[in-house]
Amino acid sequence: KNQVEQSPQSLIILEGKNCTLQCNYTVSPFSNLRWYKQDTGRGPVSLTIMTFSENTKSNGRYTATLDADTKQSSLHITASQLSDSASYICVVRLNAGKSTFGDGTTLTVKP
Amino acid sequence: DTGVSQDPRHKITKRGQNVTFRCDPISEHNRLYWYRQTLGQGPEFLTYFQNEAQLEKSRLLSDRFSAERPKGSFSTLEIQRTEQGDSAMYLCASSSGYSGSYEQYFGPGTRLTVT
């Protein structure tokens, strides 16, 4: 069982719609949580990074939330665009330095 | 320096051959990581360097795998006697241990196909 679980595994939405991706983690002690966007055949690109004391962080149309008590994070995408089609990966970094990656949510935005 | 670079971007090799990949990190970053990623999965940690010292190796890194970072700058990952199960995307990332957040910046990856 992965210590960082993401849901849904895949998602299809229409252009212009909003969506929310989920990340639940069990690893601890927690240092920070990051969301990455990975286009097909490319390396991941950082979207947001949050420490345990931060509840929300925005980057343009991307807003990440974090509840360190329930060990849940979400990534909300507003007014989706075709270019948002990608895999979104949640990564939890422990205080000891090790990072644990989720398997990602594959988002497809259709016109 | 605009980011992490990896070479080659694609490699097709026959089973049993050796392959070597190169990663050039962001110049001021002292930490360098190698990951392997298969389709539909997140990146799996392979190994990590701080400057030229290899500080951690995953159990995924069998004896056929070796990584070096001889001068604390670029790194190479060699796979000997490749197997079909080695087919994957090999990602390199770098970070600055001095920034506090240790945010990792990824390269574009090397796609390995073993036939």
Side-chain angles (χ1 to χ4, degrees):
Chain A
K1 184 175 171 69
N2 200 344
Q3 294 176 304
V4 178
E5 292 204 335
Q6 294 188 241
S7 62
Q9 187 174 16
S10 61
L11 181 62
I12 301 173
I13 62 173
L14 293 176
E15 186 179 13
K17 298 297 186 182
N18 303 336
C19 67
T20 300
L21 315 180
Q22 299 291 340
C23 174
N24 296 340
Y25 61 94
T26 58
V27 293
S28 65
F30 166 92
S31 174
N32 62 55
L33 185 146
R34 292 162 279 165
W35 282 93
Y36 284 89
K37 177 187 179 188
Q38 185 175 24
D39 292 314
T40 301
R42 310 287 294 182
V45 175
S46 179
L47 293 175
T48 64
I49 179 169
M50 291 183 291
T51 64
F52 68 91
S53 62
E54 294 178 292
N55 300 121
T56 186
K57 183 73 70 80
S58 290
N59 178 3
R61 295 180 296 103
Y62 301 102
T63 299
T65 64
L66 173 64
D67 186 333
D69 291 331
T70 61
K71 297 186 177 180
Q72 296 180 326
S73 177
S74 66
L75 181 69
H76 186 75
I77 304 174
T78 304
S80 61
Q81 300 176 358
L82 298 179
S83 59
D84 292 333
S85 295
S87 179
Y88 291 84
I89 301 173
C90 173
V91 185
V92 178
R93 184 175 186 274
L94 305 180
N95 286 341
K98 180 178 172 60
S99 290
T100 302
F101 289 72
D103 286 335
T105 292
T106 301
L107 174 65
T108 303
V109 180
K110 292 195 169 182
Chain B
D1 189 338
T2 57
V4 179
S5 62
Q6 293 186 244
D7 183 69
R9 294 292 309 278
H10 304 274
K11 178 70 177 179
I12 300 174
T13 190
K14 292 186 177 180
R15 188 176 54 186
Q17 298 295 305
N18 299 345
V19 294
T20 300
F21 310 141
R22 175 179 171 125
C23 170
D24 287 88
I26 293 172
S27 58
E28 63 267 25
H29 285 183
N30 61 337
R31 296 186 174 194
L32 186 148
Y33 309 79
W34 284 100
Y35 294 89
R36 180 172 68 188
Q37 186 178 28
T38 53
L39 197 62
Q41 305 290 316
E44 296 176 294
F45 171 79
L46 292 179
T47 189
Y48 136 67
F49 292 84
Q50 179 158 310
N51 299 314
E52 66 274 8
Q54 189 173 18
L55 296 188
E56 187 176 348
K57 289 172 30 174
S58 163
R59 285 174 294 176
L60 293 174
L61 214 65
S62 75
D63 292 344
R64 297 184 298 105
F65 288 70
S66 64
E68 293 183 344
R69 194 183 183 198
K71 297 181 180 179
S73 56
F74 74 92
S75 175
T76 58
L77 177 68
E78 181 183 15
I79 308 174
Q80 297 182 327
R81 305 182 303 281
T82 51
E83 302 173 356
Q84 287 188 321
D86 297 331
S87 295
M89 173 79 89
Y90 289 84
L91 292 165
C92 174
S94 70
S95 71
S96 171
Y98 308 115
S99 70
S101 70
Y102 302 103
E103 182 169 355
Q104 295 181 27
Y105 294 82
F106 283 84
T110 294
R111 169 75 63 189
L112 173 65
T113 302
V114 181
T115 61

